[in-house]
Amino acid sequence: QVQLVQSGADVKKPGASVEVSCKASGYSFNRESIHWVRQAPGQRPEWLGCINTGNGDTKYSQKFQGRVTMTGDTTATTVYMELRSLTSEDTAVYYCAREWAYDFWSPYLGGLDTIDPFDMWGQGTMVTVSS
Amino acid sequence: DIQMTQSPSSLSASVGDRVTITCRASQTINRHLNWYQQKDGKAPNLLIYAVSNLQTGVPPRFSGSGSGTDFTLTINSLQPEDFATYFCQQSFSTPRTFGQGTKLDIK
């Protein structure tokens, strides 16, 4: 079964770090990048960054640069997201999501273009930061 | 960063109605616009990619249109399972950004 399964909910104190894992199964792990998105209650999803599972390259949102690290273990087909120096504003559900490339005809290019939405998501991990 | 703005923020409708949700990007995103549906307590689910392409398994009552910076999601003949929150998202550049969401509930 093609799926992403995340680690369970966690409660942390301000200033601590949290690591969330995301295990992929049912597809070729090294092909598609995995992104991390968080969503605070009643808010829009917010992108944290992504990891290329093929070569380990990462790209982080400037907002989280220096505070987030994403790593991957190809043997375990698992990616990890660590967020440090937590505050109450980091309380949210954290999702991993697979990027999938689709080709489409672009009138702007006059030919094929590629788009990579998030076609599969983990179930989410609630991270609560509270003293 | 590209800002995504949706309207309305909430919408009440009845089963069988046709509804339209709009999404505006702060700059041209060359059709790199996706729509997701999210139900309470669940992860978002991809509905439409590249403005108008239905993800596999999405019923044809969903459709998308638009160009440049202005896009719409239309749901024809609303079904009970369609009552949810809908987000647009641009995948033209990082950071990937989402609209604030449109909550569709039963009138």
Side-chain angles (χ1 to χ4, degrees):
Chain A
Q1 184 179 1
V2 181
Q3 59 181 355
L4 299 173
V5 178
Q6 299 181 221
S7 49
D10 209 342
V11 179
K12 295 293 184 182
K13 293 196 182 303
S17 299
V18 68
E19 182 179 82
V20 181
S21 67
C22 171
K23 181 171 175 58
S25 60
Y27 72 98
S28 180
F29 177 75
N30 292 344
R31 275 191 53 181
E32 279 71 42
S33 292
I34 296 289
H35 295 246
W36 289 92
V37 175
R38 76 179 187 181
Q39 190 174 28
Q43 301 300 308
R44 71 182 76 192
E46 180 177 33
W47 184 80
L48 283 78
C50 62
I51 180 168
N52 181 320
T53 52
N55 60 18
D57 285 351
T58 55
K59 184 178 290 186
Y60 303 135
S61 168
Q62 200 157 3
K63 177 177 178 178
F64 300 100
Q65 191 82 37
R67 206 161 67 90
V68 69
T69 301
M70 297 174 189
T71 57
D73 180 339
T74 54
T75 301
T77 65
T78 300
V79 297
Y80 303 89
M81 187 280 300
E82 180 191 37
L83 189 62
R84 299 178 290 278
S85 302
L86 294 169
T87 72
S88 58
E89 295 188 355
D90 295 314
T91 295
V93 177
Y94 288 74
Y95 294 101
C96 59
R98 184 181 74 171
E99 167 190 296
W100 191 265
Y102 297 86
D103 291 333
F104 68 100
W105 189 82
S106 169
Y108 298 94
L109 301 182
L112 284 181
D113 195 357
T114 301
I115 190 171
D116 44 13
F118 305 150
D119 78 316
M120 183 170 60
W121 296 63
Q123 82 276 19
T125 297
M126 181 70 213
V127 174
T128 303
V129 183
S130 174
S131 54
Chain B
D1 298 1
I2 297 175
Q3 310 303 317
M4 305 298 292
T5 304
Q6 281 181 242
S7 61
S9 297
S10 62
L11 182 57
S12 293
S14 302
V15 172
D17 284 353
R18 177 176 187 251
V19 298
T20 297
I21 298 168
T22 65
C23 177
R24 173 167 288 177
S26 60
Q27 65 184 71
T28 298
I29 55 174
N30 289 2
R31 296 185 69 84
H32 284 241
L33 187 282
N34 311 303
W35 290 98
Y36 298 85
Q37 176 192 67
Q38 186 177 34
K39 296 185 177 179
D40 287 345
K42 300 294 187 182
N45 182 51
L46 178 65
L47 288 178
I48 290 174
Y49 62 92
V51 177
S52 57
N53 297 273
L54 265 58
Q55 172 69 331
T56 302
V58 174
R61 63 179 179 271
F62 290 91
S63 64
S65 64
S67 63
T69 60
D70 295 315
F71 306 93
T72 61
L73 170 68
T74 299
I75 312 172
N76 287 300
S77 188
L78 274 170
Q79 298 301 299
E81 61 268 28
D82 300 337
F83 293 95
T85 300
Y86 294 85
F87 293 96
C88 61
Q89 180 225 15
Q90 63 82 17
S91 50
F92 182 72
S93 66
T94 56
R96 305 284 183 92
T97 46
F98 293 79
Q100 78 275 24
T102 296
K103 185 176 175 66
L104 175 59
D105 60 23
I106 299 175
K107 187 185 293 183

